Amino acid sequence: MKTIFRNLWITLQRFRLASGLNIVGLSVAFAAFILILMQVRYELAFDRFHPHADRLYMAQIKSEEGFLPLVPKGFGPTFGNTGAGIEAWTMLQLGFVDSYLTVERDGAEVGFVQPVLRASENFAALFRLPLVEGTVDALKDPSQALLPASLARSFFGSEHGVVGRKLTVDGVDYRVGAVYRDLPENSQIKNKLYLPLVFRPDEYLWDNFDYQMYLLLHPGADAETVAGEWAKVPADQIGIAEDITLDLVPLAACYYDRRPVLFGMEGMIERGKEATTEMLLAIALLVIGIAAVNFVNFSTSLTPLRIKNINTRKVLGSSVAGLRAEQMFESTGIALLSFGLGLLWVDGLRNTAFNDLISGGISLSVHSGVVWLSLGVAAVVGLLAGIYPALYSTAFPPALVLKGSFGLSPRGRRLRTALIGFQFVVSIGLIVAALFMQLQNRYMRRMDTGVDFEGVVMARLGGGLETQAFEDRVRQSPGIEEVAYSRMMIGVGDTHPQWGGTYQGEPILYAAHMVSWNFPRMMGIELTEGRYFTEGEARQAGRYHYIFNEAARREFDLTVGGQWLDGGDAEKNQIVGFARNFNYRSLHSAVGPMALVLFGHDKEFDAQHRLPVAYFKIKGDPYAAVEQIKRAAAEIDPAYPIDIRFYDQAFDALYRKERKTTTLITTFSLLAVVLSLAGVFGLVVFETQYRRKEIGVRKVMGATVSEILGMFNRQFVWLVGICFVVAAPLAWYGVREWLATFAYRTPLYWWVFLVSLVIVLFITLLTVTIQSWRAATANPVDALKAE
């Protein structure tokens, strides 16, 4: 064993360049492999970390068109205790608008704007929340709150000793009842502030789908049987439609659920794209595969330099099996050494911006399973990569080698060409994928959404800011041209209230956004018929006026002019106009029927209650105007942490996950391309070492340097061309399937494939030319003497 280690050290010393390239290339590949697997593990482990995750289910309503991850409030008390298969259940009431809360810290009142959810009393027990302090029964007390350790630190400066502290949410006082340790980010259950959800017999409503229901089934219980028991309850007994189908879906399966979400409620459940995860996993495997091919090529390229030494040892009595085992040990040692260096690369990236690209962050301890898996892969790569060079270098008769007349076998040439061809196919495909991902990102950023956000900043209001007094102070600034309002942020979210009613006797359902009377005009929403709202209509108390989009107009055959809309128990309401379709939700979803709704009320009500999202039209210096808005907010409510955002900032936040994934795939795709071209470098080294005599003879016979370079380059031009023919249709199919997951997508441009071909061909020819230049310009006498 000591001899083997000594020979490994001698090999590393003797062939420093090749060994260095091997180790650096492999270490970078292993680092990339580990980082990608961290992201893949995050995606695949979504909601699988919960205790008894295999028995956790979400109650849903489904139809042929899709599913709804929400249920009415009456679901819990009605169905939660039915059937022997249910061990426990809990319900969450989701908040569509963030809440304004204040706490006392260091003798001063400090304000926060946070999402606040309400949960039934057994929420903490069902999910086995790890408590820092307090009890799992905290939510049984309607005056207590449950919060994660991160929010406890943010609110009170510590996660310990906060039980009993007061916090005020939307004007109502609560006490902290328990603090739980933050859950991993890859969960439908988020680290939010939870308040008690109280059930009263007279409030078992069936027409308000604002709740999620989770169940823990007994071991061995069948979800279909439980759902079947639910279906036996007569529909008229619970007041829901007969055509509603109840369903129980494993919580861990919700993340990759491909079914459409009904009624514009996409934002009520976090979902990932299985195709993107598969692409990341494929890139991880390709990076390792390419690195292994490079390892083989680099090791084989050393054969002309090592083969006499190896066969001399054979003549001196060394066994072929021993020599082969020694070379395989060397390759495995290099692979493990590279793996260790790769771990250092990964750990070094932990404190860089790259950490933000990996969901959940970079952590070798959290992802210890990934590290051990990667170690096994490194050992296998080293072992397999050493087999061919070991067999090849010991296959020649010693007499032939020592005489100096051995050569490059056609069989070996074909294998190395096939390996390089594989790398070229992968490189072309990855460049195509990376370019289309960038194009899709650019397409979504530049797409005309139909709303003019130029010069507009947005802010969510709360507390004393939802008053006329705040608007009056803001308007004192010459930089504020106009102020408009809406119930929810438009164009930067996936959750939208759904309203139903009847139109000319037929039921209709549409997304509804309540807005101020001046919102459509200020935001540049283009009308196709009718008119905008008027300020006078905003004073018609109890009346609703609508501007529907063209999608609703076509689907429901709506008209303007004396036509009225019945909306539940509200009075008759008027359609005043139709707007060109605009993206009122994110570009992940197509535009559906929607309406901008103006609710009329008297002036006194308007002065005290504003819609909570404000839009400020700015002229002149936008930063000066923003400072004026902040000063006005501080004068009205010093504790309120007003967050003013430009539309670009809100838009970027909405597509942050897509940008992160695109950056990851692009980065590692480029890395794979670089590794592939490093393989070309290794093959050229091999070729020039074996063909030194041929090159010398050609030069003696009058061949020029350009002719010799052309000889090397031609074979690679043909190889890249053939690989392009193979890679292009595969890349086209993969990109087409990925783009199909977007409601709005960039076209499949033909020139992207041509650009990928040009990039690979250019870099390949540059690499071949630089590496073969030395052989082409060398003194032919030296080559002939050496042979």
Side-chain angles (χ1 to χ4, degrees):
M1 184 62 68
K2 182 177 179 180
T3 303
I4 293 177
F5 277 106
R6 184 188 64 197
N7 290 336
L8 172 59
W9 176 251
I10 291 173
T11 300
L12 294 175
Q13 288 280 21
R14 183 181 175 192
F15 308 109
R16 294 177 183 175
L17 176 61
S19 299
L21 290 173
N22 260 328
I23 292 172
V24 172
L26 275 175
S27 68
V28 172
F30 284 131
F33 183 74
I34 293 169
L35 290 170
I36 296 175
L37 286 192
M38 285 182 180
Q39 180 65 37
V40 170
R41 178 182 178 274
Y42 175 92
E43 301 283 333
L44 296 179
F46 218 92
D47 278 317
R48 299 184 186 275
F49 64 88
H50 295 287
H52 313 307
D54 58 324
R55 297 193 282 127
L56 284 173
Y57 287 80
M58 172 186 275
Q60 297 180 355
I61 291 174
K62 68 175 182 178
S63 68
E64 294 181 356
E65 291 77 22
F67 76 101
L68 183 65
L70 302 173
V71 295
K73 188 175 183 179
F75 253 61
T78 304
F79 295 122
N81 301 315
T82 62
I86 301 175
E87 180 177 322
W89 62 273
T90 191
M91 292 194 76
L92 297 181
Q93 182 181 20
L94 304 180
F96 291 92
V97 179
D98 292 348
S99 295
Y100 174 40
L101 61 94
T102 59
V103 300
E104 186 177 330
R105 191 171 68 194
D106 298 329
E109 188 177 65
V110 182
F112 301 87
V113 176
Q114 293 285 335
V116 175
L117 287 73
R118 293 187 178 270
S120 57
E121 60 185 33
N122 51 353
F123 168 72
L126 184 141
F127 286 106
R128 310 289 200 271
L129 296 183
L131 296 184
V132 176
E133 58 180 13
T135 68
V136 294
D137 298 326
L139 293 180
K140 288 185 177 180
D141 187 335
S143 66
Q144 291 190 344
L146 176 70
L147 66 157
S150 58
L151 284 184
R153 291 190 297 270
S154 178
F155 293 167
F156 305 107
S158 173
E159 62 190 58
H160 297 283
V162 300
V163 169
R165 297 282 296 270
K166 188 182 81 169
L167 50 85
T168 303
V169 182
D170 293 330
V172 180
D173 292 339
Y174 295 87
R175 297 284 175 178
V176 177
V179 177
Y180 65 91
R181 201 171 308 283
D182 283 49
L183 299 174
E185 294 179 13
N186 52 342
S187 172
Q188 301 292 348
I189 307 302
K190 302 303 182 184
N191 297 308
K192 306 294 185 184
L193 170 64
Y194 293 92
L195 300 179
L197 175 61
V198 180
F199 292 92
R200 298 184 179 89
D202 58 341
E203 288 185 349
Y204 290 178
L205 304 178
W206 294 95
D207 59 352
N208 188 356
F209 290 77
D210 288 347
Y211 301 83
Q212 288 182 339
M213 181 177 179
Y214 297 94
L215 301 98
L216 177 66
L217 300 188
H218 285 292
D222 181 59
E224 291 186 7
T225 302
V226 174
E229 291 295 320
W230 291 1
K232 294 179 182 179
V233 179
D236 57 357
Q237 179 178 327
I238 55 178
I240 61 175
E242 294 185 2
D243 59 348
I244 285 182
T245 303
L246 309 179
D247 195 15
L248 279 178
V249 178
L251 182 59
C254 293
Y255 185 65
Y256 283 132
D257 198 330
R258 296 184 177 182
R259 296 174 298 165
V261 179
L262 299 173
F263 310 141
M265 293 295 172
E266 291 88 350
M268 293 293 96
I269 186 171
E270 186 172 357
R271 297 202 291 173
K273 294 181 179 179
E274 204 167 5
T276 301
T277 304
E278 291 171 351
M279 184 184 296
L280 281 169
L281 185 58
I283 291 175
L285 296 175
L286 290 174
V287 166
I288 287 297
I290 290 171
V293 169
N294 286 347
F295 199 174
V296 172
N297 284 336
F298 273 119
S299 299
T300 308
S301 69
L302 298 179
T303 301
L305 305 175
R306 301 186 64 184
I307 199 163
K308 285 189 177 182
N309 173 270
I310 291 171
N311 284 276
T312 298
R313 294 171 62 189
K314 286 170 63 176
V315 171
L316 295 176
S318 297
S319 67
V320 172
L323 291 170
R324 289 174 176 174
E326 181 181 316
Q327 290 190 68
M328 292 173 65
F329 179 84
E330 288 179 8
S331 65
T332 304
I334 290 174
L336 294 178
L337 183 61
S338 302
F339 172 77
L341 182 57
L343 290 180
L344 294 179
W345 294 131
V346 173
D347 191 61
L349 291 172
R350 204 162 37 89
N351 298 317
T352 68
F354 200 88
N355 183 72
D356 296 331
L357 296 179
I358 305 297
S359 299
I362 298 172
S363 173
L364 294 175
S365 58
V366 171
H367 298 281
S368 57
V370 170
V371 174
W372 286 109
L373 174 63
S374 303
L375 176 61
V377 170
V380 171
V381 165
L383 186 64
L384 295 179
I387 291 177
Y388 173 71
L391 293 176
Y392 181 79
S393 62
T394 58
F396 295 99
L400 184 64
V401 172
L402 297 176
K403 187 178 178 180
S405 58
F406 70 95
L408 178 63
S409 69
R411 189 175 182 181
R413 179 191 291 270
R414 285 194 295 271
L415 175 60
R416 282 184 293 278
T417 302
L419 293 176
I420 291 297
F422 162 76
Q423 292 183 317
F424 279 140
V425 170
V426 171
S427 297
I428 293 170
L430 290 178
I431 291 175
V432 169
L435 288 175
F436 271 112
M437 293 193 80
Q438 295 294 335
L439 285 172
Q440 176 65 16
N441 232 9
R442 179 174 176 269
Y443 179 83
M444 293 177 69
R445 288 183 60 83
R446 297 192 175 187
M447 181 177 172
D448 180 14
T449 62
V451 182
D452 182 15
F453 284 97
E454 184 69 27
V456 174
V457 296
M458 300 179 291
R460 190 177 296 279
L461 306 182
L465 273 61
E466 294 179 289
T467 61
Q468 182 65 41
F470 172 67
E471 180 178 330
D472 291 342
R473 288 178 182 266
V474 168
R475 286 183 177 274
Q476 292 175 5
S477 170
I480 305 298
E481 186 174 349
E482 195 170 0
V483 183
Y485 301 88
S486 70
R487 171 69 64 187
M488 300 178 67
M489 286 192 176
I490 296 178
V492 290
D494 274 327
T495 302
H496 305 275
Q498 297 289 309
W499 287 17
T502 59
Y503 179 75
Q504 296 183 344
E506 295 295 327
I508 63 174
L509 187 68
Y510 53 92
H513 276 287
M514 294 187 67
V515 298
S516 59
W517 71 271
N518 60 335
F519 179 88
R521 188 189 301 273
M522 188 187 104
M523 302 306 293
I525 294 174
E526 180 183 341
L527 297 185
T528 57
E529 186 181 354
R531 58 174 175 79
Y532 290 110
F533 300 129
T534 66
E535 188 172 7
E537 288 169 339
R539 299 284 174 252
Q540 296 178 8
R543 290 291 184 98
Y544 290 83
H545 294 82
Y546 297 82
I547 295 178
F548 279 94
N549 66 355
E550 283 296 319
R553 181 186 200 177
R554 290 192 298 268
E555 183 166 339
F556 307 133
D557 195 25
L558 305 175
T559 59
V560 175
Q563 297 297 325
W564 295 86
L565 188 77
D566 295 327
D569 58 357
E571 295 182 26
K572 289 185 177 181
N573 312 291
Q574 190 174 22
I575 303 173
V576 301
F578 293 102
R580 181 171 70 91
N581 285 341
F582 62 91
N583 291 93
Y584 57 93
R585 51 186 176 182
S586 78
L587 299 177
H588 296 118
S589 307
V591 173
M594 71 85 60
L596 298 175
V597 184
L598 175 65
F599 172 63
H601 43 72
D602 57 44
K603 193 168 184 178
E604 181 178 351
F605 179 91
D606 178 51
Q608 299 299 324
H609 298 84
R610 291 278 178 178
L611 295 171
V613 179
Y615 303 80
F616 306 92
K617 187 73 171 180
I618 293 175
K619 57 182 178 181
D621 184 359
Y623 298 101
V626 167
E627 288 302 315
Q628 172 61 27
I629 297 171
K630 290 181 178 179
R631 283 194 297 270
E635 292 172 1
I636 298 292
D637 190 343
Y640 188 82
I642 188 167
D643 180 22
I644 303 172
R645 292 188 291 173
F646 289 90
Y647 175 71
D648 285 348
Q649 294 173 317
F651 188 89
D652 287 345
L654 185 64
Y655 301 102
R656 183 179 292 115
K657 184 174 182 179
E658 281 79 4
R659 293 201 326 276
K660 286 170 55 176
T661 303
T662 299
T663 303
L664 270 180
I665 291 178
T666 302
T667 300
F668 292 123
S669 295
L670 293 176
L671 173 62
V673 172
V674 171
L675 291 174
S676 296
L677 295 174
V680 174
F681 173 81
L683 184 58
V684 175
V685 169
F686 188 90
E687 290 276 327
T688 53
Q689 288 293 335
Y690 265 114
R691 301 177 69 176
R692 288 178 64 199
K693 184 176 181 179
E694 177 190 345
I695 294 170
V697 172
R698 287 178 178 272
K699 292 192 70 175
V700 170
M701 299 299 294
T704 63
V705 172
S706 60
E707 289 173 338
I708 294 173
L709 294 179
M711 175 187 68
F712 280 104
N713 281 317
R714 273 193 298 273
Q715 63 180 354
F716 283 98
V717 170
W718 279 104
L719 182 58
V720 171
I722 294 171
C723 292
F724 177 77
V725 173
V726 175
L730 296 175
W732 175 84
Y733 175 79
V735 169
R736 188 192 65 173
E737 291 299 304
W738 178 74
L739 287 174
T741 62
F742 293 88
Y744 303 93
R745 46 190 174 267
T746 186
L748 278 166
Y749 297 110
W750 63 268
W751 56 264
V752 174
F753 297 88
L754 180 61
V755 167
S756 67
L757 172 63
V758 171
I759 291 174
V760 172
L761 194 59
F762 172 78
I763 300 178
T764 299
L765 295 181
L766 183 63
T767 303
V768 172
T769 300
I770 292 174
Q771 179 55 31
S772 57
W773 177 267
R774 183 177 178 182
T777 57
N779 190 335
V781 175
D782 295 335
L784 296 175
K785 283 171 60 178
E787 293 292 333

